[in-house]
Amino acid sequence: MWRRVASLSSSISSSFLAQTASRLNTWESLTTGIAQQAKGVIAPKEKTPFITFVLGGPGSGKGTQCIKIVETFGFAHLSAGDLLRREIASKSADGAMILNTIKEGKIVPSQVTVKLIQKEMELSDNHKFLIDGFPRTEENRVSFERIIGVEPNVVLFFDCPEEEMVKRVLNRNEGRVDDNLETIKKRLTVFQALSLPVINYYSERGKLYTIKAIGTEDEIFEQVRPIFAAFETVG
Ligand SMILES: Nc1ncnc2c1ncn2[C@@H]1O[C@H](COP(=O)(O)OP(=O)(O)OP(=O)(O)O)[C@@H](O)[C@H]1O
Ligand SMILES: Nc1ccn([C@H]2C[C@H](O)[C@@H](COP(=O)(O)O)O2)c(=O)n1
Ligand SMILES: [Mg+2]
């Protein structure tokens, strides 16, 4: 959990708080909210976040590789799909809409997904985040930048042939409502039409690391490892 403080001293003047808030970096001011900090509810974060977006088609192995990255490099893993499935399971107000969207292989409105990611980031003690399966669309990307106020440091793209993705998803056996041929076809179409432009966007900005996502899980991780090892060396 983020360090929560009972209250800030009442002797701290509001102008001091305003000055302090204005000096906070974008992350601190936009994710925890200046208003909440001024009320003394949440202490500012000490470290700048290190954000990795993990992209790739359905079944390309994003979740599998995220587990290895977490074990090796100590990131917090936030899977957008898992957060949305948790909303369905909790029968929240958006649950039925999310379930129908996922069954249809479509994309949930960005504001819903970004709010779930934001909440997890705020609750985490970690400052290194793997955001898996997000952004899936340009709307997702813009919404994250607007609400969270930061850009990713690294974008991983697990590039996998379609036949292999379909085979993996059909063998996954985790009881997911979208692991059937009809929904997979729709998800692949959505991936081509809406997610590839996001991948191209980050490629043009020099943030994209493309991983050839075929071979064993360990072989694939050996392509991933040097990317994060290089960032660890830098600091
Ligand atoms: N390199 C691999 N070779 C064979 N099977 C794999 C490999 N990597 C992952 N898998 C298996 O493929 C299935 C899909 O992997 P995973 O769930 O990691 O994909 P994903 O990209 O997260 O998919 P989704 O977007 O649908 O959540 C899982 O059953 C996983 O065990
Ligand atoms: N940014 C996102 C991520 C996921 N969803 C929905 C639609 C996906 O098909 C489904 C499953 O996601 P996965 O576990 O495959 O990453 O969740 C979305 O709408 N927006
Ligand atoms: Mg996954």
Side-chain angles (χ1 to χ4, degrees):
M1 289 238 194
W2 286 114
R3 291 153 299 284
R4 283 169 191 275
V5 290
S7 67
L8 287 175
S9 162
S10 56
S11 64
I12 300 174
S13 72
S14 57
S15 71
F16 171 82
L17 285 173
Q19 281 169 22
T20 306
S22 74
R23 285 193 207 103
L24 293 172
N25 65 25
T26 315
W27 161 248
E28 289 161 344
S29 49
L30 288 179
T31 61
T32 59
I34 292 169
Q36 282 176 307
Q37 286 172 29
K39 278 189 239 155
V41 180
I42 299 174
K45 296 178 181 219
E46 285 157 12
K47 286 189 175 170
T48 307
F50 185 96
I51 293 178
T52 299
F53 286 155
V54 183
L55 305 179
S60 58
K62 301 180 294 297
T64 303
Q65 293 298 320
C66 281
I67 292 170
K68 291 177 177 291
I69 298 167
V70 167
E71 284 168 2
T72 312
F73 295 104
F75 278 70
H77 178 203
L78 310 186
S79 157
D82 285 351
L83 293 175
L84 292 167
R85 283 183 284 273
R86 200 168 77 187
E87 282 297 289
I88 298 170
S90 74
K91 301 199 183 329
S92 76
D94 289 324
M97 175 277 290
I98 295 171
L99 176 61
N100 287 332
T101 308
I102 288 181
K103 275 186 185 163
E104 282 300 309
K106 293 182 179 161
I107 302 298
V108 172
S110 298
Q111 187 167 345
V112 172
T113 314
V114 174
K115 290 281 176 199
L116 294 173
I117 293 171
Q118 180 184 34
K119 201 165 139 199
E120 290 302 302
M121 291 174 80
E122 289 182 359
L123 286 171
S124 178
D125 258 344
N126 210 326
H127 74 289
K128 299 198 293 185
F129 298 101
L130 279 180
I131 307 187
D132 167 4
F134 184 95
R136 289 280 232 277
T137 63
E138 279 291 292
E139 193 213 20
N140 268 186
R141 180 185 69 72
V142 171
S143 181
F144 184 91
E145 281 176 19
R146 186 171 44 79
I147 295 174
I148 309 291
V150 285
E151 295 201 5
N153 302 80
V154 168
V155 180
L156 294 184
F157 167 40
F158 289 94
D159 188 11
C160 191
E162 280 199 4
E163 322 81 80
E164 177 67 16
M165 293 196 277
V166 172
K167 196 170 82 186
R168 289 183 191 174
V169 168
L170 292 178
N171 285 333
R172 181 154 46 188
N173 217 10
E174 289 177 4
R176 279 177 52 163
V177 292
D178 51 351
D179 280 356
N180 58 76
L181 194 53
E182 193 189 339
T183 310
I184 294 162
K185 283 183 185 162
K186 290 178 183 164
R187 295 180 70 200
L188 287 168
T189 305
V190 166
F191 176 71
Q192 293 282 339
L194 302 181
S195 305
L196 280 182
V198 178
I199 289 164
N200 289 334
Y201 173 90
Y202 287 120
S203 173
E204 282 162 15
R205 274 152 191 79
K207 292 193 171 175
L208 192 75
Y209 295 80
T210 300
I211 308 294
K212 289 201 180 312
I214 37 173
T216 67
E217 293 173 14
D218 286 343
E219 283 167 350
I220 294 166
F221 186 64
E222 289 315 315
Q223 296 176 61
V224 173
R225 187 196 298 277
I227 297 166
F228 293 105
F231 279 96
E232 293 229 314
T233 314
V234 171

